[in-house]
Amino acid sequence: MEVRLLDIDGKMPNIALMKIAAYHKQKGDHVEWLNPLMDIEANIEKVYASKLFNFSNDYDYYPPEAEVIRGGTGFDISSKLPRQIESTTKLDYSIYPQHHYSMQFFSRGCIRSCPFCVVREKEGYIHPVEPLELNPNGKHIEVLDNNFFANPEWKFAIEKLLEWNIPVNLHGVDVRIMNEEQAYYLNQLKHYKQVHIAWDNPKQNILEQLKVMTKYIKPYKIMCYVLIGYWSTPEEDLYRIEKLRELRLDPFVMPFNKMDEYQKKFARWVNHKAIFKTVAWKDYR
C-alpha cells in the first residue's frame, strides 16, 4: 500500500504521524510525506493529515483517489488513532531526520480544567502511560506531559530520566503543586533548557511555591510563562512580571490576543530581554 503523511501546521515531530508510519512500515507498506509533484505516478491509497490548530487552513491538493484520514485537535478534538496504532510505543523517527531529540510522555491528561486549554477535554484526567521508545539519534528528550508532577507515578518518570542520563526539556511543571521533594528531584535531572513553569492566573499567588522551587534550582534556570489578556488587567500583568523580576526568574509573556495593541506591546517589552532589563514599563514606547 502507498501511504502518505501530511503535517499541516506542526513545528515539532508529530507523535501520531510517527506511530502511523511505524505501524504501516511494519506491515510492509510504503510510507512517505505527501508531495503532489513527486506523487503524480503513485497510486496513493491512504493519506493521514494532522492539524493542531482550528485556525489553520486545510490542505487543498489531496490525491483524488486516496482515502483521506484527518486527525488532530485542529480537525476534531475527539479524534483518536485506531487502538492498534495508539497502543504502540514505537515511533518512526526516520521521517524527521532533521530533529535530533526524543519525544516522550509519562502521563496524559491533566488535573486542571483551565478554560483556555483543551487538554482536559481531549485527554481526560491525568493518568500514567507507558513511555515511548527513544530516538536512537536523540541528543535530548522533550518531555511533553501536561502536568509532570501531578502524575501519580512521577517518581517512576524521574527514575527513567535519570537512568537514561540524557538532558531533558520538561514542558509541564506546575509550580502550584510543587513541594520540596519534587523540587529536589527536579534539580537532579540534566536540563537541556530552562525549567518552564507558568503563572497564568493573577488571582493565584504562587510566590511561596516559587521560593520553595528556588531553594533547589537556581533562578536563572527557570523561565515562567505569563498569560495576559485573558482574565487579567494590565495592573495584574505588571504585578506578576515585577514579582518574577524580584525573584530573578525569567518571565515570558504569552498574549491571549496577539492582535491587541497593548498585549503585543507588553509582550515585546518583557520578551526582549535587553529592553526589559534596562527600560521600565512606564518609560517604554
Side-chain angles (χ1 to χ4, degrees), residues 124-185:
Y125 194 76
I126 197 162
H127 54 280
V129 294
E130 187 178 355
L132 302 166
E133 292 185 11
L134 297 182
N135 183 351
N137 299 316
K139 306 299 183 187
H140 75 276
I141 304 172
E142 295 285 333
V143 181
L144 305 173
D145 295 45
N146 299 293
N147 200 322
F148 183 84
F149 285 110
N151 178 5
E153 297 184 10
W154 66 266
K155 277 192 177 179
F156 167 79
I158 290 284
E159 288 168 2
K160 290 298 291 184
L161 293 171
L162 291 173
E163 175 190 324
W164 289 329
N165 196 31
I166 301 172
V168 301
N169 183 26
L170 293 182
H171 286 236
V173 177
D174 188 348
V175 71
R176 292 168 290 183
I177 62 171
M178 178 73 62
N179 59 40
E180 293 213 20
E181 182 185 28
Q182 292 170 336
Y184 167 80
Y185 278 108

Side-chain angles (χ1 to χ4, degrees), residues 101-102 109 161 171 220 241:
Y101 52 80
S102 299
L161 293 171
H171 286 236
Y220 74 86
I241 292 301

Side-chain angles (χ1 to χ4, degrees), residues 13-20 22 81 84-93 101-108 128-136 140-145 156-157 160-161 163-164 166:
N14 187 304
I15 288 179
L17 293 179
M18 287 194 285
K19 284 188 174 188
I20 290 166
L81 290 171
Q84 67 270 28
I85 300 179
E86 181 59 49
S87 61
T88 185
T89 60
K90 184 174 179 58
L91 303 179
D92 182 5
Y93 282 99
Y101 52 80
S102 299
M103 308 287 283
Q104 192 57 263
F105 277 104
F106 293 99
S107 67
R108 302 304 291 260
V129 294
E130 187 178 355
L132 302 166
E133 292 185 11
L134 297 182
N135 183 351
H140 75 276
I141 304 172
E142 295 285 333
V143 181
L144 305 173
D145 295 45
F156 167 79
K160 290 298 291 184
L161 293 171
E163 175 190 324
W164 289 329
I166 301 172

Side-chain angles (χ1 to χ4, degrees), residues 200-203 226-237 240 262:
D200 287 331
N201 190 344
K203 306 299 187 292
V226 179
L227 176 69
I228 66 169
Y230 183 79
W231 46 18
S232 63
T233 65
E235 291 74 23
E236 290 170 326
D237 297 338
R240 286 178 289 165
Y262 154 71

